[in-house]
C-alpha cells in the first residue's frame, strides 16, 4: 500500500482493553446489581489497557439486560463514570447485539466520530432469582416498574404457536435441529452424537476459562443422556444442551483509534484489529420462513466473514460460534466448510461458560482478544439472536487492516435472494399432513406434556398440530432414534378444544 493510500492512524480502530467480572456472593443481599457489574467490568477493561481512557469515552453501548430494570441505564452508567458521550445507547434484546455494537463502535472510529469507545453488558440473574425465591429485598437501585418490559419471543409469534407452547427459544430451536439433521441425512442418533461431541468441546473450553460459571468438562454422553439432574426439556434437548442464564456476570471492551492507543502508550502487542463483518435477519415470526434446515441470513453473514479471510473458513485459527442450542453451530460449521473436528469456541459456550442472556458474546469477544494476544492470528466472532433470527459476524486480527473498515455491513439482499416461497400458515387443517419438523415438550418431572409437529398440508400450506401425551404410538414414531420422522405422513384431525 502506497503512503497516499495509507489509512490514517486516527481512522484505524483497535480493541485496547477487556474486562470481566463474575459475582458469587456469600449472601443474597451482597450480590452486585447490573450497574455495579457494568462499572467494574469497564474499570477492569481500562486497567487491562494500561491507560486512562474511561474519561475520554465518546461512544458508549450497553447491551440489553433482563435481570433488573432501570430507567435509562446507559445514562446512569455514564454518570457513574463521569462522562457525557455523544453516542450513549441501550439497545433491544438480541444475542448478536454485543458483536454489532463492537462493530458499530469500530465504524464510528473509522469515520472519525470518536477516538475512544466502550461496549459493555451485565446480568445478575442468579442473585435476582434467589432473592425472588427467598422473598429478600435487594439493596439495589429501585426497580423501574414504570419502564416497559422488553419485547421477546412470544410477542412476535402466532397465537397457535403460543397455545402449543412453541414460542420460547428452547421449544423453537428443536424445529431447526430435527429439520437440519434430516436434511443432512443423519439419523436422530447420529445427530445427538454430533451435539454431544460438540457440546463437550464447549465444556472443555469453559473448564479452562477462569471467568466461566461451570468450570468442568462434561463427556458427550453426560450431556445427551437424560437423568434426574439433566432432564429433557424439549426433544432432543436436555438441560446440559441449553443456555444457562442464572449467572452474575459483567463484561466490557474498550476500543480506540490506533493514534489514540499509541499516544496513550499502549503496548502494540496487546492491540486487536476489527477487519469487518456482516449482518442479516430472518422474520421475527419464525413461521414466516421458507424452511428449517438452514438459515439464509446465517449463510450470507458467514460467507461474508469468510470473504474477509480469503474465502476459506479454515483460515480462522480462533472461532466463537454462538451456542444457545446445538443446531446453531452445527449449521454454521457446515457453511464455513469446517469438519466435525472443529473447535467452536474460545470462551466455553452458553451452557458452561454461562449465558448472561444478551451479553454472552461480550465475554466471547474478551476471550477472543486474549486468544489473539496469545498467538492466534485471525478470529471469527459469530453472534445470533432471537429464534435463529438476527445474525452478526465480526472478523478480528492481530495484523493491521489493508483497507479502511467498510461502513455497509448488511448482506440482507444476499440472504433474501436465496429465500424460496414461504408457505401460507393455517390454523385449521384436515386430510394428510407431512412432517416438516417436530419437538416433544417435557414437564419438570420428566413426563411428556405433548408433542408438536410442524406439518405441510396436501395443498402445501403450513400448520402446527399437537400430539397428546396419551398417543404413545405417534410419540414413539417421533422419538425413534434410528429413523427421522421428518417427511412422514399422518392424518390431521381436530380435537374438541380446536
Amino acid at each position: 500500500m502506497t503512503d497516499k493510500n495509507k489509512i490514517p492512524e486516527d481512522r484505524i480502530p483497535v480493541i485496547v482493553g477487556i474486562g470481566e467480572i463474575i459475582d458469587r456472593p456469600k449472601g443474597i443481599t451482597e450480590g452486585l446489581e447490573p450497574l455495579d457489574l457494568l462499572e467494574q467490568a469497564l474499570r477492569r477493561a481500562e486497567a487491562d489497557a494500561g491507560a486512562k481512557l474511561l474519561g475520554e469515552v465518546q461512544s458508549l453501548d450497553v447491551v440489553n439486560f433482563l435481570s433488573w430494570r432501570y430507567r435509562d441505564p446507559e445514562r446512569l452508567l455514564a454518570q457513574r463514570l463521569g462522562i457525557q458521550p455523544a453516542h450513549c445507547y441501550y439497545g433491544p434484546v438480541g444475542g448478536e447485539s454485543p458483536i454489532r455494537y463492537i462493530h458499530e463502535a469500530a465504524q464510528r472510529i473509522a469515520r472519525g466520530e470518536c477516538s475512544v469507545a466502550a461496549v459493555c453488558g451485565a446480568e445478575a440473574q442468579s442473585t435476582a432469582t434467589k432473592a425472588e425465591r427467598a422473598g429478600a429485598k435487594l439493596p439495589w437501585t429501585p426497580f423501574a416498574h414504570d419502564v416497559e418490559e422488553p419485547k421477546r419471543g412470544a410477542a412476535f409469534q402466532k397465537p397457535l404457536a403460543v397455545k402449543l407452547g412453541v414460542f420460547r427459544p428452547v421449544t423453537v430451536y428443536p424445529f431447526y435441529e430435527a429439520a437440519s439433521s434430516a436434511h443432512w441425512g443423519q439419523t436422530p442418533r447420529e445427530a445427538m452424537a454430533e451435539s454431544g461431541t460438540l457440546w463437550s468441546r464447549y465444556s472443555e473450553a469453559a473448564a479452562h476459562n477462569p471467568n466461566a460459571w461451570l468450570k468442568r468438562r462434561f463427556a458427550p454422553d453426560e450431556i445427551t443422556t437424560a437423568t434426574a439432574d439433566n432432564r429433557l426439556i424439549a426433544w432432543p434437548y436436555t438441560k446440559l444442551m441449553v443456555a444457562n442464564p442464572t449467572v452474575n456476570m459483567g463484561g466490557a471492551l474498550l476500543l480506540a483509534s490506533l493514534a489514540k492507543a499509541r499516544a496513550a502508550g499502549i503496548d502494540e502487542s496487546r492491540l486487536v484489529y476489527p477487519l469487518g463483518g456482516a449482518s442479516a435477519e430472518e422474520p421475527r415470526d419464525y413461521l414466516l420462513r421458507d424452511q428449517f434446515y438452514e438459515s439464509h441470513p446465517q449463510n450470507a453473514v458467514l460467507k461474508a466473514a469468510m470473504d474477509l479471510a480469503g474465502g476459506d473458513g479454515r483460515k480462522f485459527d480462533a472461532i466463537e460460534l454462538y451456542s444457545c442450542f446445538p443446531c446453531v453451530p452445527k449449521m454454521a460449521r457446515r457453511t464455513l466448510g469446517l469438519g466435525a473436528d472443529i473447535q467452536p469456541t474460545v470462551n466455553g459456550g452458553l451452557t458452561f461458560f454461562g449465558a448472561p442472556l444478551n451479553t454472552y458474546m461480550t465475554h466471547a469477544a474478551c476471550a477472543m482478544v486474549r486468544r489473539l494476544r496469545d498467538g492466534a492470528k485471525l478470529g471469527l466472532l459469530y453472534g445470533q439472536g432471537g429464534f435463529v433470527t438476527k445474525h452478526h459476524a465480526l472478523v478480528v486480527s492481530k495484523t493491521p487492516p489493508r483497507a479502511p473498515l467498510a461502513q455497509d455491513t448488511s448482506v440482507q439482499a444476499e440472504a433474501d435472494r436465496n429465500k424460496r416461497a414461504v408457505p401460507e400458515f393455517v390454523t385449521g387443517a384436515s386430510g394428510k399432513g407431512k412432517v416438516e419438523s417436530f419437538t416433544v415438550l417435557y414437564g419438570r418431572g420428566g413426563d411428556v406434556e405433548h408433542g408438536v409437529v410442524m406439518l405441510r398440508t396436501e395443498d402445501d400450506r403450513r400448520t402446527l398440530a399437537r400430539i397428546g401425551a396419551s398417543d404413545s404410538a405417534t410419540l414413539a414414531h417421533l422419538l425413534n432414534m434410528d429413523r427421522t420422522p421428518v417427511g412422514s405422513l399422518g392424518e390431521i384431525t381436530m380435537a374438541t378444544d380446536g
Side-chain angles (χ1 to χ4, degrees), residues 122-136:
E123 287 286 3
Q125 192 63 59
S126 176
T127 294
T129 300
K130 285 174 183 171
E132 188 178 0
R133 286 176 182 164

Side-chain angles (χ1 to χ4, degrees), residues 20-190:
E20 293 179 87
I21 177 170
I22 180 168
D23 183 35
R24 294 183 183 273
K26 286 190 172 71
I28 294 173
T29 56
E30 293 169 40
L32 299 174
E33 65 175 293
L35 268 179
D36 294 332
L37 295 169
L38 289 168
E39 182 182 357
Q40 289 209 28
L42 279 166
R43 296 202 184 281
R44 290 180 182 198
E46 182 181 57
D48 175 72
K52 292 290 183 189
L53 294 173
L54 276 182
E56 298 187 60
V57 167
Q58 301 141 317
S59 166
L60 175 65
D61 284 291
V62 179
V63 178
N64 187 284
F65 44 84
L66 297 161
S67 52
W68 202 249
R69 215 174 300 163
Y70 301 90
R71 176 166 293 288
D72 304 324
E74 74 286 12
R75 300 285 170 200
L76 294 174
L77 179 61
Q79 284 169 17
R80 283 181 173 219
L81 298 170
I83 58 174
Q84 292 182 308
H87 172 87
C88 195
Y89 183 68
Y90 177 67
V93 170
E96 87 301 341
S97 59
I99 301 306
R100 179 158 56 87
Y101 298 159
I102 296 165
H103 196 171
E104 288 172 351
Q107 289 173 319
R108 259 174 234 116
I109 292 168
R111 291 195 299 269
E113 292 174 6
C114 68
S115 60
V116 182
V119 175
C120 57
E123 287 286 3
Q125 192 63 59
S126 176
T127 294
T129 300
K130 285 174 183 171
E132 188 178 0
R133 286 176 182 164
K137 185 169 169 54
L138 292 166
W140 293 359
T141 304
F143 190 94
H145 291 283
D146 59 335
V147 173
E148 192 180 351
E149 186 177 355
K151 276 193 172 183
R152 298 175 75 186
F156 303 105
Q157 308 314 319
K158 291 189 171 19
L160 186 59
V162 176
K163 188 175 181 180
L164 292 178
V166 283
F167 64 91
R168 295 181 297 133
V170 72
T171 55
V172 174
Y173 280 82
F175 289 138
Y176 275 92
E177 190 73 45
S180 62
S181 58
H183 181 73
W184 300 326
Q186 290 180 314
T187 64
R189 194 179 303 281
E190 290 165 339

Side-chain angles (χ1 to χ4, degrees), residues 417-440:
R417 192 160 36 246
N418 293 313
K419 192 173 180 176
R420 294 173 283 280
V422 175
E424 179 193 351
F425 185 81
V426 292
T427 53
S430 59
K432 293 282 185 194
K434 182 158 77 172
V435 177
E436 185 174 13
S437 195
F438 78 100
T439 187
V440 176

Side-chain angles (χ1 to χ4, degrees), residues 216-496:
R216 93 163 173 87
R217 182 190 176 273
F218 290 80
D221 284 353
E222 273 185 283
I223 292 163
T224 57
T225 304
T227 63
D229 292 331
N230 186 36
R231 66 183 181 87
L232 276 163
I233 300 172
W235 183 262
Y237 295 148
T238 61
K239 195 175 172 185
L240 282 174
M241 295 166 81
V242 306
N244 169 28
T246 12
V247 298
N248 301 324
M249 292 174 165
L253 295 97
L254 282 174
L255 294 90
S257 68
L258 182 57
K260 172 64 81 173
R262 286 179 170 162
I266 298 172
D267 187 336
E268 298 269 340
S269 68
R270 299 182 68 70
L271 305 181
V272 168
Y273 297 86
L275 297 189
S279 62
E281 296 187 3
E282 291 271 21
R284 295 209 170 177
D285 178 350
Y286 70 89
L287 290 165
L288 295 178
R289 299 178 190 173
D290 60 345
Q291 44 65 46
F292 292 86
Y293 53 80
E294 67 177 338
S295 164
H296 304 305
Q298 183 192 62
N299 291 344
V301 161
L302 291 174
K303 283 171 181 171
M306 275 198 292
D307 287 344
L308 290 165
D312 188 350
R314 292 168 298 181
K315 294 278 181 70
F316 297 114
D317 52 357
I319 289 176
E320 184 69 44
L321 299 181
Y322 200 75
S323 53
C324 48
F325 301 94
C327 59
V328 177
K330 282 160 71 168
M331 292 191 297
R333 70 102 174 154
R334 285 168 169 85
T335 301
L336 291 165
L338 302 174
D341 60 348
I342 184 178
Q343 177 46 259
T345 182
V346 292
N347 197 45
L350 282 87
T351 302
F352 310 103
F353 175 85
L357 293 160
N358 300 296
T359 196
Y360 170 82
M361 288 303 293
T362 311
H363 296 273
C366 290
M368 182 64 77
V369 169
R370 285 194 295 273
R371 182 62 62 86
L372 266 65
R373 286 173 176 174
D374 287 345
K377 293 180 172 59
L378 194 65
L380 170 64
L381 290 161
Y382 163 63
Q384 184 236 252
F387 303 152
V388 199
T389 307
K390 299 185 281 184
H391 307 260
H392 204 113
L394 181 66
V395 177
V396 288
S397 172
K398 275 301 292 172
T399 309
R402 298 174 63 86
L405 189 67
Q407 291 294 325
D408 182 10
T409 60
S410 174
V411 288
Q412 193 65 48
E414 174 65 18
D416 292 344
R417 192 160 36 246
N418 293 313
K419 192 173 180 176
R420 294 173 283 280
V422 175
E424 179 193 351
F425 185 81
V426 292
T427 53
S430 59
K432 293 282 185 194
K434 182 158 77 172
V435 177
E436 185 174 13
S437 195
F438 78 100
T439 187
V440 176
L441 312 187
Y442 293 82
R444 288 193 169 273
D447 297 325
V448 171
E449 289 183 342
H450 61 269
V452 182
V453 283
M454 183 185 292
L455 300 171
R456 291 293 187 95
T457 63
E458 288 169 309
D459 55 1
D460 207 32
R461 294 189 288 179
R462 175 181 284 150
T463 194
L464 294 172
R466 179 183 58 212
I467 309 295
S470 61
D471 188 351
S472 54
T474 307
L475 287 170
H477 175 69
L478 292 178
L479 301 176
N480 184 334
M481 291 297 285
D482 297 307
R483 184 177 178 183
T484 179
V486 172
S488 56
L489 293 171
E491 203 70 40
I492 302 172
T493 56
M494 192 64 79
T496 52

